[in-house]
Amino acid sequence: MVSITHLSDKELLQLLQTGDEAAFSEIFNRYWERLSSYSIGLTKSEEESADIVQEIFISLWNRREHLSINGSLGPYLIKSAKNLSLRYIQRNVHSTEFVEKLAEFIADNSQDIEENISLKELQIEIDNAIAKIPKKMLAIYLLSRDEQLSYREISEKLSISEGTVKKQISNALKIISTSLKGKISVVTYALLLQFLK
């Protein structure tokens, strides 16, 4: 008898539809690491990616009797990971943490961005959002983001408390994230273009 590890994805799917747990385990072992890496690349969150991969396999098992997969299993699972990862991005696109990660991403990939018109458009949206920050708050924000000064260094430079610095940067990020509302599709598309290269 052929070992289950030597079966094709198609054969494993046929067994899965009959409720074969060994076939399910083999599919899991073949794909969980790839799906996890893919999802982490999009969400930048190991914890969220673990939940996404778990959800994919729970769904696969629960729907095993009615599965209808056109094409290969690998692309089907990757598409599921993409959809769930995008759902996470859409839910969190207005959070300050997400905005910070997006700003870091753009800074770290400036060369690629210059070659990508969609990401140029995204940068324009972010610049427009930054332009809405009040002047004093903006000065603090730019010292933090552009000059990479710590809260303490900004505090000493401007003769204000570290608490004020922290609050002003947090408020600046909120203004940016609020300004990006309605731009989710742009953000998502830009991230996809870059991460899915």
Side-chain angles (χ1 to χ4, degrees):
M1 185 177 174
V2 179
S3 168
I4 199 158
T5 58
H6 293 99
L7 294 179
S8 68
D9 285 355
K10 187 175 181 180
E11 290 169 320
L12 288 173
L13 278 172
Q14 289 171 346
L15 288 173
L16 176 65
Q17 289 177 316
T18 68
D20 191 306
E21 292 182 11
F24 176 77
S25 293
E26 178 59 23
I27 292 171
F28 178 87
N29 291 333
R30 281 186 193 181
Y31 287 103
W32 76 266
E33 189 172 1
R34 191 188 312 177
L35 296 176
S36 181
S37 296
Y38 181 90
S39 181
I40 289 171
L42 283 175
T43 65
K44 302 304 183 193
S45 169
E46 290 186 14
E47 184 179 345
E48 184 64 29
S49 294
D51 289 343
I52 284 170
V53 173
Q54 182 178 354
E55 186 175 339
I56 289 168
F57 284 109
I58 288 172
S59 174
L60 189 69
W61 177 257
N62 288 341
R63 297 185 302 109
R64 64 190 180 279
E65 293 176 7
H66 309 289
L67 274 178
S68 177
I69 298 176
N70 296 320
S72 303
L73 177 61
Y76 171 84
L77 293 174
I78 288 291
K79 186 176 180 182
S80 297
K82 180 179 81 171
N83 291 339
L84 290 174
S85 296
L86 285 178
R87 197 178 304 163
Y88 167 79
I89 290 170
Q90 289 174 324
R91 284 198 311 264
N92 292 276
V93 72
H94 304 309
S95 74
T96 55
E97 182 183 2
F98 186 90
V99 171
E100 285 180 311
K101 286 179 180 178
L102 184 60
E104 287 171 14
F105 167 77
I106 289 173
D108 292 343
N109 294 276
S110 57
Q111 267 190 327
D112 292 335
I113 287 168
E114 286 170 9
E115 298 167 4
N116 190 308
I117 189 167
S118 295
L119 285 174
K120 282 182 184 177
E121 290 170 0
L122 175 59
Q123 183 64 67
I124 289 168
E125 295 293 352
I126 291 176
D127 289 342
N128 288 340
I130 289 173
K132 295 177 182 177
I133 299 173
K135 194 176 285 186
K136 288 183 179 178
M137 187 186 295
L138 179 61
I140 294 171
Y141 175 81
L142 293 178
L143 286 172
S144 170
R145 291 300 174 262
D146 292 352
E147 297 186 31
Q148 300 293 306
L149 298 184
S150 67
Y151 291 164
R152 183 178 179 179
E153 289 169 330
I154 297 171
S155 167
E156 291 172 356
K157 184 168 185 148
L158 299 179
S159 300
I160 56 178
S161 72
E162 286 186 47
T164 299
V165 172
K166 186 175 181 180
K167 184 170 179 58
Q168 290 292 296
I169 291 173
S170 175
N171 287 342
L173 289 169
K174 283 177 185 173
I175 290 170
I176 294 170
S177 62
T178 300
S179 298
L180 288 175
K181 281 181 181 174
K183 311 290 192 309
I184 292 177
S185 60
V186 175
V187 173
T188 302
Y189 181 57
L191 286 169
L192 273 179
L193 284 176
Q194 193 61 36
F195 284 124
L196 301 184
K197 278 184 177 179

